[in-house]
Amino acid sequence: MTWSIAGTLTVLPALDHPELLAEPVAKALAALDGADRVGVAAIDPDLADTAEFCAAYGSPLDASANCVVVLGKRGGDEKLAACLVMATTRADVNGLARRTIAVRKASFAPMDRAVAETGMAYGGITPIGLPAGWPLLIDAAVAAAPEVVIGSGLRGSKLLVPGDVLAGVPGAVVLDDLGRSPE
């Protein structure tokens, strides 16, 4: 597959390179419809944060998507979920995400908890391979994108994925306006 968003990356078929993926990502990818259309590229782990990655590799910021882990609470119950939004936006955690996962209060999950629960590296958490039962909220702009760059579960690589493949991840719910313009 030819990737218009790859910049200077060398993109390889993700299914053929599990060594570039966190273990839960590799397992989930193997069972995902459309996985043959997913690419992976090795990167410098010090450049994994979106802005630095885009600047270093020439991949457009508006073709990157960020996955954030949300911790919701209602009474004494807690619920974890993930939101995937374009990197040029911010997840509406306290509005749409909170209402969709039916909690009273929502915030970003603490880093150590997000890492422990997902089995992925902070700064590389991705929607493919999240724990079973977690809601995955995907902004409609991500689902409609022909291709986006996301984490691989590790800081040393990135996945390149068509939006429709992400929309097909088990547990995914596509929502309009989940990603909001930064204020």
Side-chain angles (χ1 to χ4, degrees):
M1 184 164 178
T2 302
W3 298 96
S4 66
I5 61 172
T8 60
L9 296 171
T10 300
V11 183
L12 305 168
L15 288 173
D16 295 343
H17 294 279
E19 73 280 5
L20 293 175
L21 309 171
E23 184 179 338
V25 178
K27 285 181 181 176
L29 190 63
L32 183 64
D33 286 340
D36 58 325
R37 297 168 42 218
V38 176
V40 66
I43 64 166
D44 179 336
D46 292 333
L47 300 172
D49 293 337
T50 305
E52 291 84 4
F53 162 78
C54 291
Y57 294 99
S59 182
L61 181 63
D62 63 0
S64 286
N66 292 330
C67 185
V68 296
V69 177
V70 174
L71 175 62
K73 297 179 181 180
R74 178 180 284 279
D77 295 330
E78 291 185 336
K79 184 182 240 181
L80 288 162
C83 296
L84 184 66
V85 299
M86 298 304 293
T88 54
T89 65
R90 292 181 186 234
D92 183 11
V93 171
N94 290 307
L96 186 55
R98 178 185 56 78
R99 290 189 306 274
T100 303
I101 63 172
V103 293
R104 184 184 244 351
K105 190 174 171 183
S107 60
F108 295 110
M111 175 180 62
D112 57 342
R113 183 153 182 200
V115 168
E117 297 273 350
T118 62
M120 300 179 204
Y122 191 75
I125 294 176
T126 192
I128 299 170
L130 292 170
W134 276 30
L136 169 59
L137 313 180
I138 299 179
D139 186 77
V142 174
E147 51 194 39
V148 293
V149 176
I150 60 172
S152 66
L154 305 174
R155 289 187 61 87
S157 60
K158 293 285 186 178
L159 291 175
L160 288 80
V161 187
D164 66 309
V165 172
L166 291 168
V169 169
V173 177
V174 176
L175 300 169
D176 290 327
D177 301 321
L178 178 63
R180 299 288 182 121
S181 295
E183 296 173 19

